[in-house]
Amino acid sequence: MDYFRKIDELRTMRGWSFYKLSQESGLAQQTFTQWMNGTVPTLKALQAVCDAFDITLAQFFAEGEQVVTSVKEKELLTNWKYLSKEEKSSILAVMKNYNRKG
């Protein structure tokens, strides 16, 4: 597995710099340079990266096309199925309104 490529994809998807990833993960920026040059990360370091991205190690190691969801997104989806059609419609309207403001 190309650890650095996977981390770089996740970083790019979020619009993060390596500096931002370093801040969020608590790892030195030099660590990512070492990984880029082929050093294999420790499990503890990978866990720190996964925590920064709010994903599990299982999601990190999953192969193929996948939707990466955070714990909060999973909670939202779990609760979504219990809402009425009207409640879902109202929540979607609020979300669309916030998206226009951003």
Side-chain angles (χ1 to χ4, degrees):
M1 170 177 221
D2 187 346
Y3 301 98
F4 181 78
R5 181 191 57 75
K6 179 78 172 201
I7 292 166
D8 201 38
E9 285 175 8
L10 292 167
R11 180 191 64 80
T12 303
M13 282 174 35
R14 285 163 178 76
W16 289 5
S17 65
F18 280 106
Y19 177 75
K20 172 74 172 170
L21 178 56
S22 176
Q23 287 181 315
E24 295 294 324
S25 67
L27 299 171
Q29 283 183 270
Q30 181 183 16
T31 301
F32 303 111
T33 302
Q34 291 170 346
W35 295 350
M36 181 176 64
N37 293 324
T39 302
V40 177
T42 65
L43 192 55
K44 183 177 179 178
L46 280 179
Q47 183 64 62
V49 169
C50 289
D51 290 345
F53 290 135
D54 198 22
I55 63 171
T56 65
L57 280 169
Q59 288 171 313
F60 181 83
F61 285 109
E63 294 290 330
E65 194 70 26
Q66 63 174 317
V67 176
V68 177
T69 57
S70 69
V71 172
K72 290 182 182 183
E73 289 169 327
K74 286 179 185 177
E75 182 180 4
L76 178 69
L77 293 172
T78 299
N79 289 304
W80 179 263
K81 62 184 167 190
Y82 299 111
L83 299 174
S84 69
K85 186 182 248 184
E86 293 78 22
E87 290 168 330
K88 289 176 183 177
S89 182
S90 295
I91 289 173
L92 285 174
V94 169
M95 291 173 74
K96 287 177 185 176
N97 186 47
Y98 275 106
N99 284 338
R100 280 194 289 266
K101 291 179 182 178

